[in-house]
């Protein structure tokens, strides 16, 4: 995809379960050389089926990743309202004139950008070329989560908790007011470092067993 300038994200909101319909309409009408329309999704572990599946990362939202200015996106949506239907709503496309300092997204054309710099960075680093957040893998050590593989490596320090059974990580970061999460599988440290004899063993309930400390206690008994 070749575009004319720097890419950024604009967000459209639609009714539940209408995301794919809206995406298809936008994809058909949107200029091919100005960006792409996508539904960000993530891999997650379906425990019943014991396999990975893909589901929407932000249900009800459709993203346009484009070099168009926010004003151009706004005008594009208005011009194609007959095709898009009344169920689409633009987020953050404000005709408010830029005034004062410190308001993120103020532009010379007087429109506000949809996403903050942090939100944009999150999408740029987490999504693959298909718009999917792949499942990450890693281990836990001394209460901290270490990512060895996957997009969460860029946000390792922001992982506050991992649901071991459902293989889901929760981040100390909100996207549009929602708690951010992504798939993550925790494996024992010895899986990653088989030669490390002192690496703690991770039990199914998430308990870490320090083998070095255990051996020490056994010899002292």
């Amino acid at each position: 995809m070749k575009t004319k300038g720097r890419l950024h994200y604009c967000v459209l909101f639609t009714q539940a379960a209408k995301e794919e319909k809206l995406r298809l309409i936008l994809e058909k009408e949107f200029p091919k050389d100005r960006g792409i329309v996508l539904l960000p999704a993530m891999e997650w572990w379906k425990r019943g089926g014991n396999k990975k599946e893909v589901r929407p990362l932000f249900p009800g939202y459709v993203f346009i990743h484009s070099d168009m200015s926010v004003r151009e996106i706004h005008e594009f949506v208005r011009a194609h309202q007959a095709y898009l239907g009344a169920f689409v709503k633009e987020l953050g496309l404000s005709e408010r004139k830029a005034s004062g300092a410190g308001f993120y997204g103020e532009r010379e054309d007087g429109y506000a950008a949809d996403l903050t710099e942090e939100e944009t960075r999150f999408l740029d680093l987490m999504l693959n070329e298909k718009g999917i957040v792949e499942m990450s893998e890693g281990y836990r050590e001394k209460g901290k989560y270490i990512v060895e593989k996957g997009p969460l490596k860029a946000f390792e320090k922001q992982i506050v908790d991992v649901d071991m059974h459902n293989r889901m990580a929760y981040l100390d970061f909100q996207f549009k007011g929602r708690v951010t999460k992504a798939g993550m599988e925790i494996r024992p440290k010895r899986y990653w470092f088989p030669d490390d004899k002192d690496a703690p063993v991770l039990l199914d309930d998430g308990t870490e067993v320090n083998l070095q400390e255990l051996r020490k206690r056994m010899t002292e008994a």
Side-chain angles (χ1 to χ4, degrees), residues 11 58 61 63 91-92 113-116 119 174-178:
V11 188
F58 306 108
Y61 294 90
F63 289 68
L91 298 182
D114 280 313
L115 303 185
T116 65
E119 290 169 340
Q174 290 194 347
F175 192 102
K176 289 296 180 187
R178 299 185 180 188

Side-chain angles (χ1 to χ4, degrees), residues 189-207:
K189 186 178 180 181
R190 299 184 93 184
Y191 171 87
W192 304 102
F193 306 100
D195 295 331
D196 186 353
K197 297 181 180 180
D198 294 328
V201 172
L202 191 68
L203 303 182
D204 290 339
D205 62 358
T207 303

Side-chain angles (χ1 to χ4, degrees), residues 78-120:
R78 279 188 173 180
H80 294 81
Q81 192 69 46
Y83 299 99
L84 300 178
F87 57 81
V88 65
K89 177 183 179 183
E90 298 165 272
L91 298 182
L93 301 187
S94 169
E95 296 186 22
R96 168 187 183 278
K97 292 294 182 180
S99 62
F103 179 79
Y104 175 76
E106 287 182 344
R107 309 164 62 94
E108 291 182 1
D109 59 12
Y111 283 72
D114 280 313
L115 303 185
T116 65
E117 290 180 354
E118 275 193 308
E119 290 169 340
T120 298

Side-chain angles (χ1 to χ4, degrees), residues 203-215:
L203 303 182
D204 290 339
D205 62 358
T207 303
E208 294 178 358
V209 179
N210 190 313
L211 296 182
Q212 185 179 18
E213 182 65 26
L214 183 60
R215 283 196 294 268

Side-chain angles (χ1 to χ4, degrees), residues 20-35:
E20 180 62 15
K21 178 179 179 180
L22 178 58
R23 185 192 69 80
L24 291 173
I25 296 173
L26 284 169
E27 194 171 65
K28 180 179 179 181
E29 301 295 332
F30 202 78
K32 303 300 181 185
D33 62 340
R34 300 303 303 274

